[in-house]
Amino acid sequence: MEDKSIVDRLGDDLKAAMKARDADRMATLRMAISAMSYRRIERSAALSGEEQEDVVRKQVKQRDDSIEEFSKAGRTDLADKEKREREILKEYLPADMSPAQLQAEVAGIIARLAPDAKFGDAMKAVMPALAKRANGKAIQEAVKTAMAGRT
């Protein structure tokens, strides 16, 4: 049953979490389902599989941002909670690229750019190709590394 939509999987997993009395998982799945509903209402139409992935990606990014802020503030308890939620949400996304794969893809894209290309030009070329397969910060670091190697 690999062809289930993310919304269907979230609903099924929410039921399982309720039966298992897993409060953290229930809360996270409810937030994700709510975000899907908001997006569906906003669009006034059913969400495609890609749009559902985008909603989950946005939820994961929010968790990443929260983890960073809570860590800076010394609130490890809240950062840990956000990390658990992020891991639950990541189950609904395709696996990220490995750092080596990412570096190779970025190097290939940057090699096609003009020799005088700037960092911004490189990011504009790389992001559309890799945004769905890797974290934005990881892409940024890979581009920085590749651009440093060009000079």
Side-chain angles (χ1 to χ4, degrees):
M1 287 204 199
E2 302 271 334
D3 58 345
K4 272 189 168 186
S5 72
I6 293 174
V7 173
D8 293 338
R9 288 176 47 211
L10 286 168
D12 292 347
D13 292 350
L14 176 61
K15 289 175 194 166
M18 291 169 88
K19 287 179 184 174
R21 298 181 190 272
D22 185 345
D24 287 344
R25 192 169 189 81
M26 281 191 309
T28 303
L29 296 176
R30 283 184 174 140
M31 282 188 275
I33 291 168
S34 176
M36 293 283 184
S37 296
Y38 280 122
R39 177 69 69 89
R40 190 185 71 246
I41 291 167
E42 188 179 278
R43 295 220 187 278
S44 301
L47 299 177
S48 68
E50 191 171 305
E51 289 171 324
Q52 291 176 25
E53 276 187 26
D54 287 343
V55 171
V56 177
R57 267 193 194 85
K58 185 175 180 182
Q59 294 286 308
V60 169
K61 175 145 179 29
Q62 287 174 348
R63 298 310 182 285
D64 287 338
D65 294 344
S66 296
I67 290 166
E68 188 177 321
E69 292 303 315
F70 288 140
S71 296
K72 283 181 189 174
R75 295 294 310 264
T76 55
D77 55 331
L78 294 174
D80 291 343
K81 177 183 179 286
E82 294 290 325
K83 286 177 186 174
R84 285 191 304 273
E85 290 178 3
R86 180 185 59 192
E87 293 310 311
I88 291 168
L89 291 168
K90 278 186 165 186
E91 294 172 18
Y92 299 93
L93 294 173
D96 283 346
M97 298 173 77
S98 73
Q101 279 179 309
L102 178 62
Q103 199 66 50
E105 294 260 350
V106 167
I109 294 169
I110 288 178
R112 295 190 295 262
L113 296 177
D116 63 338
K118 305 272 188 276
F119 176 77
D121 300 328
M123 286 299 290
K124 285 179 190 169
V126 170
M127 282 307 285
L130 301 178
K132 303 259 186 238
R133 302 183 318 175
N135 175 316
K137 288 182 182 175
I139 292 172
Q140 183 179 12
E141 290 302 316
V143 169
K144 281 181 185 174
T145 302
M147 292 299 285
R150 284 184 77 167
T151 57

